Amino acid sequence: MNALLKSATIVDSKSDFHNENVDILIENGTITKISKRISNPDNYPEIKLENLHVSRGWFDSSVSLGEPGFEERETISNGLKVAAQSGFSAVAMNANTNPVLDSNADIAFALAKANGSACQLKPIGALTKNSESVDLAELFDMKNAGAVAFYDYQTPIKNPNLLKIALQYASNFDGLVLSFPQESQISGKGVMNENVNSTTLGLKGNPALAEELQIARDLFLLEYTGGKLHIPTISTAKSVELISNAKAKKLDVTCSVAIHNLLFTDDKLLDFDTNYKVLPPLRTQNDVDAIIEGLKDGTIDMVTTDHNPIDVEHKNVEFDHAKYGTIGLESAFGALQTLFSTKKTIGLLTKGKARFGVEESSISVGARADISLFNPEGKITFTKEHIKSTSKNSAFLGTELKGKVYGVIANNKIEISE
């Protein structure tokens, strides 16, 4: 793959050309020249885009793609195309498929389906067989097949001894264990945050306590066992405090937050819109403020779209019966830009790679091209016309976003949205 990017502003603190407007020559998937002006004697395809900015490729640590088993929601091929056109050069795919990705053959299948995509697939294997939280899955075999972590997506590990054994076992091969932060006996049948709004709406509540108890338990187990733990999609102020204290003890723990939990509160549910039915649920403004502060001070390590396509038959129903989840790839950059500077937004979108074993590459001569392309300026109101995912269940519909994503040059491919 050869290309010449014209007049691109580099946003990459690790590059010698940070904040400079330059031309970038890419030959056979490698950056061969960066200069103020580069001629094009070989007549390579030229990429000229309005107010073009480029950064290291973005990474998302939690994406659901449906296939195998739920292709009506999304396929691996189209999901990766959407991710690439949304600026992501790598995504970690959850195991919530049918069958669940819990063996080396399942991991190999997912990787084969992703072959040839500009966005690299990093599969997450199930932590337990069929994600039933009873017996550990084939962790070591899946690691050898290409799994970057182990997680029963949005399924709490009820048995603390199971998590203890998982942490101990995975530490033998530097495996990363994920544990969903919800104590299921406390959360019960709650479908939204337990608060005045849940009482007003007559919906069963899922209290912040359910998340915080599980996190406290898991951190105690981590302190006892050692190993590597990642806590996905935290949502409460107390959760931030618990993880901050654990990091002060030098425990090997990281965490993420879903972007929709940064922008929205449970006030969004007053109209019973099932696009806002997510897990963990939307919380209070106090929680949102604490999470944003946790991102700023580094307590929270990364953001994720927690992209979860759900078909209309499972969303366009009564709130109690609707499935949890929102898509978020297409809106991620624009949503973050409404909260943070472009520099901070890019920093958040490029963090997490090392934790999930994704190769990092700066925008430098001799480096492989792993580049996200975007325009940080301009505002749009996000509508269904902006959605390229198979499923349209977005919590961001009607939300004003800032900036525009063009796509990626990565994995020796060019993927730019029309």
Side-chain angles (χ1 to χ4, degrees), residues 1-6 24-27 40 42-48 409 414 416:
M1 179 276 294
N2 304 309
L4 177 59
L5 275 69
K6 300 295 291 184
I24 304 172
L25 181 63
I26 300 169
E27 297 178 288
N40 190 8
D42 294 311
N43 200 29
Y44 291 150
E46 292 192 6
I47 298 175
K48 299 178 180 179
I409 299 176
I414 300 174
I416 294 180

Side-chain angles (χ1 to χ4, degrees), residues 27 58 60 76 97 102 121 125 204 219 259 282 286 334 371:
E27 297 178 288
W58 306 341
D60 192 339
I76 289 175
T97 53
D102 62 2
L121 183 74
K204 293 179 180 178
L219 292 174
I259 295 172
L282 301 178
N286 179 62
I371 302 172

Side-chain angles (χ1 to χ4, degrees), residues 331-388:
S331 53
F333 174 73
L336 288 172
Q337 283 239 118
T338 66
L339 297 173
F340 305 105
S341 67
T342 298
K343 179 182 177 182
K344 179 65 174 178
T345 294
I346 298 305
L348 292 173
L349 289 170
T350 52
K351 288 185 72 175
K353 288 185 176 181
R355 189 63 164 175
F356 282 82
V358 180
E359 184 182 351
E360 185 72 280
S361 184
S362 66
I363 302 179
S364 306
V365 174
R368 67 184 180 89
D370 184 37
I371 302 172
S372 298
L373 293 76
F374 59 95
N375 177 355
E377 301 303 326
K379 294 182 179 180
I380 65 160
T381 298
F382 191 73
T383 67
K384 282 191 176 180
E385 284 67 41
H386 296 107
I387 297 176
K388 297 173 183 176

Side-chain angles (χ1 to χ4, degrees), residues 278-324:
V278 291
L279 197 65
L282 301 178
R283 303 288 188 183
T284 67
Q285 189 61 51
N286 179 62
D287 294 310
V288 170
D289 293 342
I291 289 171
I292 291 175
E293 191 59 37
L295 278 173
K296 289 179 178 178
D297 66 24
T299 299
I300 301 174
D301 299 272
M302 62 195 82
V303 297
T304 173
T305 64
D306 203 26
H307 181 84
N308 190 5
I310 303 294
D311 54 278
V312 65
E313 287 81 5
H314 289 96
K315 271 295 187 181
N316 192 21
V317 293
E318 290 182 2
F319 196 91
D320 277 338
H321 301 297
K323 286 190 176 294
Y324 294 101

Side-chain angles (χ1 to χ4, degrees), residues 10 27 66 75 93 115 153 158 168 178 209 220 229 307 415:
I10 294 178
E27 297 178 288
T75 62
M93 172 183 161
N115 190 38
Y153 180 70
K158 297 178 183 179
Q168 290 172 326
L178 279 64
L209 177 65
F220 270 116
L229 178 66
H307 181 84
E415 184 68 62

